[in-house]
Amino acid sequence: MASPNPAVDLLRELLKQVPKEQLKDIYKEAQKIAGWKISAFTPHPKQDEFFRSGAKIRLFQGGNRSGKSTAGCLEAISQSLGMRTWYPSDDPARFVGHRPPTRGRIVCEDFQATAKNIIVPKLFEWIPADFIKKIKKNAVGVETDWELANGSRFNIMTNEQDDDLFEGWDGDWVWYDEPPRRAVFIACQRGLVDRGGKAWLTMTPLKEPWIYDELFLKSHKGSGIEVFLVDIEDNVGFGLSKDNVDDFASLLSEEEKQMRLRGKFHQLSGLVYKEFNPSIHVIPPFPIPANWPRWRSIDPHPRTPHMVLWMTCSPQGDKYVYDELFHACLISELCQMIRAKTATDKIIKTICDPLAFQENPLNGRTWADEFRQHGVPVIQAPKALSQGIMAVKNELVGINNKPSLYVFNSCERTIWEFGRYQWDDWRGNSKENRSLKERPKDKDDHAMECLYRLLLQDIKWRDMDHDFAPIEYPERDVW
């Protein structure tokens, strides 16, 4: 009877030509090959990027069923084997960077629901059976301590356990399946210091908001942290069907879709600048040539800290936020710090919040007068918020998706505000009459205000060695 698969028929014909005494040996070898299922694994594109990354900390952040746990499991096994066996021998991604035996740790949510029902079955599915040397179970019957034939060892721990149990360990790798508590993360990362080990988190960001501030927003170039945002649809054709994904999506609200399908933090749902990606827009500082043009923007306040941003522009038209100042002090002290940071740089223009130009009814003086008196003359900045927001968005996206706005990683307040600058909440007296506000929340926005006002200026390249013409500030007769 012919098989529906022509390859099977061909194999049968070839086996007929093999002497019977050799068939038993061939069968044994075939069983061994079948046991190495991991060698036949095919990663989807985002998984492939994750495996090829050399970052010390990788955040594989995805929606439900996006292939994140499978990627985390296969990376753990590969670190134990010393290679990613599904890549060919001449592919640099095949080798993990160190030779076994290694020591590792897997941290998941709990023993019963996660370790027993998800992590352990995946390990048994992908680790070749003949390569498992010894397994020990814990008191609740979960396989927690693993030793492989090459001497590599790893154990499974959970967020349920006390913080002290994570201390005093050293190893080569840690896989966090779903967000760990910060204390757990720090204890495990300390254990990687001696060996220069690597860690990766595979998670849907439904809790542990510290990860957003301390990992996601710090995942800029040179930080040793890399983020991979994975959509559930990235796994369609690699284990999921489009129809099943659509059925699941139909049950979710728009906010739930962002987290459960797209793998985005809850904090990102109302962000003004969703285009901002620290891995792309945040860069290490570099020496700015003396002939590059520069601008300053000041957002002064009577009570909260003052904010100052510095921006420059390259000959290619790229804009860089290269310095910042966030400090509560007197105007005279602020001017002294501004002058110290600026030094001999040629500043084309310094703009300032319109609040600085309101006159004191008793003497007619303004903050702008005080800035001038202390060596930092300013002109009034525009208040065109909507136009400014669109200007920032356009620069973040750029032309042909090549951004034209970057932030030095030393500008920590600016980066932090990018991750906090949100649209205001609903308005209206009832659900039926509610509409989305068109303004961001008036909170954590000092750097963002300086930024949009700068980009409403004529920010373009000019050679300051030949074309320096600082703006002429109007004289004031009120002192």
Side-chain angles (χ1 to χ4, degrees), residues 221-459:
K221 296 178 178 66
S223 67
I225 304 172
E226 190 166 0
V227 174
F228 304 87
L229 295 177
V230 192
D231 194 295
I232 189 173
E233 294 196 4
D234 289 322
N235 207 23
V236 171
F238 294 86
L240 296 181
S241 72
K242 184 68 166 62
D243 289 343
N244 289 341
V245 170
D246 290 343
D247 288 344
F248 176 53
S250 68
L251 304 175
L252 305 176
S253 68
E254 286 304 314
E255 185 172 303
E256 288 173 329
K257 287 179 182 178
Q258 292 301 311
M259 291 184 288
R260 292 192 174 276
L261 302 185
R262 315 289 173 241
K264 293 185 177 181
F265 286 99
H266 171 72
Q267 292 95 321
L268 295 177
S269 60
L271 280 187
V272 175
Y273 298 126
K274 293 182 180 180
E275 301 82 1
F276 178 74
N277 185 337
S279 297
I280 297 173
H281 298 102
V282 180
I283 63 172
F286 60 83
I288 299 172
N291 68 326
W292 282 25
R294 304 167 194 244
W295 293 261
R296 295 181 301 212
S297 180
I298 305 175
D299 187 27
H301 301 94
R303 185 175 181 180
T304 57
H306 309 296
M307 187 77 216
V308 188
L309 280 193
W310 282 259
M311 179 175 286
T312 187
C313 182
S314 73
Q316 293 74 35
D318 291 331
K319 288 84 173 174
Y320 298 90
V321 176
Y322 68 90
D323 207 348
E324 68 176 18
L325 181 59
F326 187 62
H327 193 68
C329 59
L330 298 174
I331 296 294
S332 57
E333 295 171 322
L334 179 64
C335 290
Q336 184 177 358
M337 288 185 280
I338 290 173
R339 295 200 312 273
K341 277 183 170 287
T342 301
T344 59
D345 295 338
K346 297 175 179 178
I347 302 294
I348 290 180
K349 185 187 300 184
T350 303
I351 60 175
C352 193
D353 189 290
L355 176 67
F357 295 84
Q358 294 179 7
E359 293 186 357
N360 184 325
L362 297 179
N363 58 19
R365 281 179 58 79
T366 68
W367 283 357
D369 295 327
E370 195 168 352
F371 276 111
R372 173 187 290 278
Q373 180 182 347
H374 295 287
V376 183
V378 296
I379 63 170
Q380 185 166 322
K383 288 184 70 70
L385 177 61
S386 297
Q387 295 91 322
I389 288 174
M390 292 308 301
V392 175
K393 286 177 174 287
N394 289 336
E395 298 286 351
L396 289 172
V397 174
I399 300 174
N400 295 325
N401 289 320
K402 182 187 180 303
S404 50
L405 174 63
Y406 301 91
V407 182
F408 281 10
N409 62 28
S410 53
C411 299
E412 295 182 357
R413 175 70 192 192
T414 303
I415 297 167
W416 186 86
E417 285 193 18
F418 263 116
R420 289 292 184 280
Y421 195 43
Q422 294 183 308
W423 294 109
D424 207 348
D425 297 325
W426 298 90
R427 62 183 178 183
N429 297 325
S430 65
K431 290 183 179 181
E432 293 76 14
N433 296 326
R434 286 179 178 179
S435 60
L436 283 172
K437 287 190 177 181
E438 296 296 332
R439 294 183 61 85
K441 293 180 180 179
D442 187 16
K443 180 183 179 184
D444 300 329
D445 62 351
H446 310 306
M448 297 296 96
E449 291 208 344
C450 286
L451 179 62
Y452 91 72
R453 289 167 177 165
L454 280 169
L455 290 177
L456 290 177
Q457 307 303 306
D458 186 23
I459 304 291

Side-chain angles (χ1 to χ4, degrees), residues 142-157:
V142 177
E143 296 86 345
T144 54
D145 294 277
W146 297 63
E147 184 178 353
L148 303 186
N150 64 356
S152 291
R153 292 175 293 154
F154 61 86
N155 66 325
I156 300 175
M157 301 185 71

Side-chain angles (χ1 to χ4, degrees), residues 47-334:
Q47 290 173 327
D48 184 63
E49 292 177 20
F50 165 76
F51 292 130
R52 294 181 182 278
S53 169
K56 281 291 186 71
I57 299 176
R58 286 170 286 172
L59 182 57
F60 195 68
Q61 183 176 313
N64 298 134
R65 309 300 300 156
S66 58
K68 59 187 187 301
S69 291
T70 296
C73 181
L74 265 67
E75 182 67 358
I77 297 171
S78 298
Q79 295 288 326
S80 299
L81 298 177
M83 67 182 73
R84 302 181 183 94
T85 62
W86 58 90
Y87 289 123
S89 58
D90 59 349
D91 191 323
R94 181 178 176 90
F95 300 99
V96 299
H98 55 248
R99 296 182 180 277
T102 64
R103 290 189 66 185
R105 173 177 282 179
I106 300 172
V107 181
C108 59
E109 189 60 28
D110 54 51
F111 282 121
Q112 289 296 334
T114 309
K116 184 177 182 178
N117 295 328
I118 299 176
I119 303 299
V120 169
K122 279 189 178 293
L123 291 171
F124 277 124
E125 177 184 2
W126 292 105
I127 298 179
D130 60 344
F131 211 73
I132 299 175
K133 181 179 179 180
K134 187 188 302 182
I135 300 176
K136 291 183 179 180
K137 294 184 179 182
N138 65 2
V140 294
V142 177
E143 296 86 345
T144 54
D145 294 277
W146 297 63
E147 184 178 353
L148 303 186
N150 64 356
S152 291
R153 292 175 293 154
F154 61 86
N155 66 325
I156 300 175
M157 301 185 71
T158 77
N159 270 320
E160 293 177 320
Q161 295 176 278
D162 293 338
D163 296 347
D164 293 345
L165 296 176
F166 292 86
E167 301 286 354
W169 170 86
D170 65 277
D172 300 283
W173 58 266
V174 180
W175 167 32
Y176 304 94
D177 183 64
E178 297 304 340
R181 301 195 316 275
R182 187 179 184 279
V184 169
F185 178 79
I186 295 299
C188 292
Q189 293 303 114
R190 187 219 59 79
L192 297 177
V193 171
D194 291 349
R195 307 189 190 192
K198 294 186 175 181
W200 56 98
L201 299 85
T202 56
M203 50 174 275
T204 298
L206 301 178
K207 56 183 179 178
E208 298 299 339
W210 70 267
I211 295 175
Y212 180 68
D213 286 330
E214 299 186 35
L215 296 181
F216 182 81
L217 287 181
K218 293 183 179 179
S219 63
H220 47 74
K221 296 178 178 66
S223 67
I225 304 172
E226 190 166 0
V227 174
F228 304 87
L229 295 177
V230 192
D231 194 295
I232 189 173
E233 294 196 4
D234 289 322
N235 207 23
V236 171
F238 294 86
L240 296 181
S241 72
K242 184 68 166 62
D243 289 343
N244 289 341
V245 170
D246 290 343
D247 288 344
F248 176 53
S250 68
L251 304 175
L252 305 176
S253 68
E254 286 304 314
E255 185 172 303
E256 288 173 329
K257 287 179 182 178
Q258 292 301 311
M259 291 184 288
R260 292 192 174 276
L261 302 185
R262 315 289 173 241
K264 293 185 177 181
F265 286 99
H266 171 72
Q267 292 95 321
L268 295 177
S269 60
L271 280 187
V272 175
Y273 298 126
K274 293 182 180 180
E275 301 82 1
F276 178 74
N277 185 337
S279 297
I280 297 173
H281 298 102
V282 180
I283 63 172
F286 60 83
I288 299 172
N291 68 326
W292 282 25
R294 304 167 194 244
W295 293 261
R296 295 181 301 212
S297 180
I298 305 175
D299 187 27
H301 301 94
R303 185 175 181 180
T304 57
H306 309 296
M307 187 77 216
V308 188
L309 280 193
W310 282 259
M311 179 175 286
T312 187
C313 182
S314 73
Q316 293 74 35
D318 291 331
K319 288 84 173 174
Y320 298 90
V321 176
Y322 68 90
D323 207 348
E324 68 176 18
L325 181 59
F326 187 62
H327 193 68
C329 59
L330 298 174
I331 296 294
S332 57
E333 295 171 322
L334 179 64

Side-chain angles (χ1 to χ4, degrees), residues 6-30:
V8 174
D9 293 331
L10 176 61
L11 181 60
R12 284 173 176 164
E13 291 300 318
L14 291 173
L15 288 175
K16 289 179 182 179
Q17 303 173 26
V18 178
K20 290 184 178 180
E21 59 271 17
Q22 294 183 21
L23 286 176
K24 188 174 182 180
D25 293 334
I26 291 175
Y27 178 70
K28 287 182 177 180
E29 290 301 315

